[in-house]
Amino acid sequence: MVPDIFHRDFTPTPYWWEAYKPSADELVEVPRAARVAIVGGGYAGLSAALELAKHGIDAVVLEANELGFGASTRNGGAVSGGVNIAKSFTGKVPDIDPGRLRSMLSDGSDAFGLIDRLIEEEKIDCFWEKPGRFVGAWAKKHFAWQSQRLALLNDAAQSGAYMVARERQREEIASDYYFGGTVVERSGKLHPALYYKGLLEACRRRGVAVCAKAAVTKIARTGNVWRVATSRGAVSAGDVVIATNGYTGELTPALKKRVIPIASHIIATEELPPDLTRSLIPKARTLSDTKRVLCYYRMSPDGTRMVFGGRARFTQVDATVSAPILYRYMTARFPQLRGVKLTHAWTGNVAFTIDALPHMGERDGLHYCLGCNGSGIAMMTYLGWQTARKIARAANYACAYDTEDFPDHPLYSGNPWFLPVVGGYYRLRDNLDRLLA
Ligand SMILES: Cc1cc2nc3c(=O)[nH]c(=O)nc-3n(C[C@H](O)[C@H](O)[C@H](O)COP(=O)(O)OP(=O)(O)OC[C@H]3O[C@@H](n4cnc5c(N)ncnc54)[C@H](O)[C@@H]3O)c2cc1C
């Protein structure tokens, strides 16, 4: 323990769980049969089930743990209009056909529209706001790279993006840390666990069986019928959707070797004095930066605390390891926060893919939506929705993420032993970029 940064009430659980804590509630019995069985009860699984229910198709959601155990109640709550795609944590823009890239950005923009609509239609009380995002340039040359992407973002994703020079940066953040940056107006923020709770309630209102503590252990097909075995009994289903993202395991080895689970970590401060809270992020936007190993942060929904995240390590580590690192990153940006105490620190898994793109599709007859690449509140909600519409034969346009090409890598079989080395390498590259800027 590093006692001077931890509040006496410190807990190593998400701040968001103060409002909704993942729970198994009263266990819903696993039905013997359903038209569609969905593996994984995060945003993707629930959004798929909800859309299926709207088409009169009965679905069961099978969740191995408590409802909301995965990344969906642990994230930073920053919602992008899909503009994060096409840039992996390596900072590299993948080599995609420009037409396909535009379609993907356009779908990303639709994902933002979907979440906006869902929250309104289902009356989800989750502090949903659209104040925009500021992405700080970590190095001088990053500012130039950001400038070059503006036209594409505005054209394909209607991002409302513009550059802010370093001299005007204090209009966005009470810090001189960055070399200017980009504002993306079409971005929002929410309380991730309350959004999750709202989706869950919407599913329940439509009679969807959402089964906690029902780990799927085996999936086998006989003719047109799938038999999905769980720790609490088996379900027969016509279609199966895999929505396990950063928690994809041995159940689906062909998918496991296509996603790399990477840990992301967050800290939340104690309540700050009012003059500080008002000044830190004057326009109440969400913030992130152009580092390969990026940081992302925002004020809490009630505006009283800093909620600060980043890949302090690429693997799951104890809060005693991750929190001091994030604290250092936070106070480097905001020296005025030196001395404040942390009340929460937590971690969760995101899923990166070899081509740094989200994917949906079918493999061996199983539907999947996987690979948020770090930004999945809108995107995984959207891919679940798109998968449901595909099953319901209601999709009125082809989703740009629905392709047969979901690459694996000859040197990766699903065990990400290399992550600490890769993390160290990218941190070094980040530092060099800044030094040589
Ligand atoms: C710390 C952190 C910060 C983040 N910040 C942001 C952010 O600010 N903005 C943003 O857009 N995104 C962010 N993300 C990403 C976002 O949270 C995820 O993309 C999104 O929640 C993924 O939803 P999902 O439904 O695909 O997966 P999850 O919510 O992870 O759910 C997958 C579920 O599958 C279950 N499962 C696995 N195997 C089985 C099995 N065999 N049987 C049954 N169930 C199984 C797991 O228990 C898990 O609950 C962040 C993620 C983390 C971890």
Side-chain angles (χ1 to χ4, degrees):
M1 236 3 175
V2 186
D4 57 334
I5 64 168
F6 293 103
H7 194 273
R8 63 179 179 283
D9 296 332
F10 174 81
T11 154
T13 53
Y15 168 65
W16 314 120
W17 290 9
E18 304 288 330
Y20 167 79
K21 187 166 184 219
S23 141
D25 289 334
E26 278 180 33
L27 284 187
V28 172
E29 202 176 319
V30 175
R32 293 256 174 100
R35 169 69 185 78
V36 181
I38 297 168
V39 187
Y43 298 145
L46 293 186
S47 150
L50 181 60
E51 185 61 16
L52 285 166
K54 288 179 182 171
H55 289 277
I57 296 175
D58 85 298
V60 54
V61 178
L62 303 163
E63 167 54 52
N65 298 287
E66 296 81 15
L67 302 178
F69 168 86
S72 297
T73 63
R74 298 168 187 262
N75 59 68
V79 182
S80 75
V83 295
N84 290 357
I85 59 160
K87 185 174 170 296
S88 71
F89 71 91
T90 65
K92 226 172 74 186
V93 177
D95 185 18
I96 320 176
D97 165 73
R100 188 171 169 222
L101 178 58
R102 290 180 74 82
S103 308
M104 287 181 160
L105 284 166
S106 164
D107 266 42
S109 168
D110 289 351
F112 189 80
L114 172 70
I115 209 166
D116 198 22
R117 208 166 59 238
L118 262 182
I119 289 171
E120 182 170 345
E121 282 173 6
E122 301 299 338
K123 302 191 176 23
I124 301 179
D125 210 354
C126 60
F127 297 93
W128 172 232
E129 290 174 71
K130 291 176 270 186
R133 172 181 301 197
F134 177 71
V135 184
W138 161 255
K140 223 186 240 167
K141 67 180 175 191
H142 293 186
F143 185 82
W145 292 348
Q146 287 180 302
S147 313
Q148 286 161 14
R149 288 188 81 217
L150 278 191
L152 181 64
L153 294 185
N154 288 334
D155 199 22
Q158 295 83 46
S159 295
Y162 56 88
M163 300 305 294
V164 175
R166 195 177 200 184
E167 303 75 64
R168 299 194 59 184
Q169 183 170 285
R170 282 199 165 249
E171 292 170 21
E172 302 294 336
I173 172 173
S175 168
D176 297 319
Y177 192 73
Y178 297 114
F179 291 84
T182 311
V183 165
V184 180
E185 289 282 7
R186 195 158 184 263
S187 304
K189 62 181 182 183
L190 47 64
H191 186 304
L194 290 180
Y195 171 56
Y196 180 84
K197 178 173 176 257
L199 278 182
L200 183 60
E201 286 169 354
C203 284
R204 286 175 172 158
R205 275 198 297 276
R206 285 174 178 78
V208 176
V210 186
C211 305
K213 301 274 181 194
V216 176
T217 50
K218 193 170 177 198
I219 307 175
R221 181 156 62 174
T222 315
N224 288 333
V225 180
W226 290 97
R227 187 173 184 280
V228 181
T230 83
S231 51
R232 293 204 287 119
V235 195
S236 300
D239 282 288
V240 178
V241 178
I242 306 298
T244 47
N245 206 48
Y247 298 85
T248 303
E250 290 308 327
L251 176 72
T252 50
L255 296 174
K256 186 176 181 225
K257 66 179 192 160
R258 286 174 165 77
V259 293
I260 306 168
I262 296 189
S264 201
H265 310 270
I266 304 187
I267 51 176
T269 66
E270 62 186 331
E271 286 190 14
L272 304 169
D275 55 324
L276 250 190
T277 55
R278 277 193 296 273
S279 66
L280 293 170
I281 307 175
K283 294 179 182 161
R285 301 194 200 274
T286 61
L287 281 95
S288 64
D289 51 45
T290 57
K291 280 173 80 180
R292 292 170 182 81
V293 185
L294 89 170
C295 292
Y296 48 90
Y297 43 105
R298 55 173 287 180
M299 299 306 290
S300 58
D302 64 2
T304 61
R305 301 158 190 259
M306 174 64 66
V307 179
F308 191 98
R311 297 196 184 102
R313 288 281 180 273
F314 275 29
T315 49
Q316 298 273 355
V317 288
D318 199 76
T320 52
V321 176
S322 59
I325 298 172
L326 290 178
Y327 193 90
R328 194 156 38 80
Y329 292 166
M330 177 179 76
T331 50
R333 283 152 184 81
F334 297 110
Q336 56 275 55
L337 289 182
R338 276 187 203 134
V340 306
K341 304 275 191 240
L342 304 181
T343 52
H344 300 74
W346 67 98
T347 178
N349 277 358
V350 296
F352 279 84
T353 54
I354 308 291
D355 59 4
L357 295 170
H359 285 270
M360 64 172 269
E362 271 179 81
R363 175 163 287 273
D364 307 326
L366 296 173
H367 298 274
Y368 59 79
C369 33
L370 296 168
C372 68
N373 288 280
S375 182
I377 302 175
M379 185 52 76
M380 298 319 289
T381 302
Y382 182 71
L383 294 188
W385 179 83
Q386 280 284 10
T387 303
R389 292 176 71 79
K390 190 174 162 187
I391 293 172
R393 298 188 195 285
N396 44 14
Y397 62 97
C399 174
Y401 298 96
D402 186 358
T403 61
E404 282 177 14
D405 182 23
F406 189 0
D408 60 359
H409 192 284
L411 296 179
Y412 178 59
S413 60
N415 171 16
W417 57 268
F418 46 81
L419 285 181
V421 182
V422 172
Y425 172 70
Y426 286 120
R427 267 179 225 108
L428 178 70
R429 296 272 312 269
D430 279 336
N431 291 338
L432 285 177
D433 268 6
R434 184 130 168 137
L435 272 176
L436 304 175

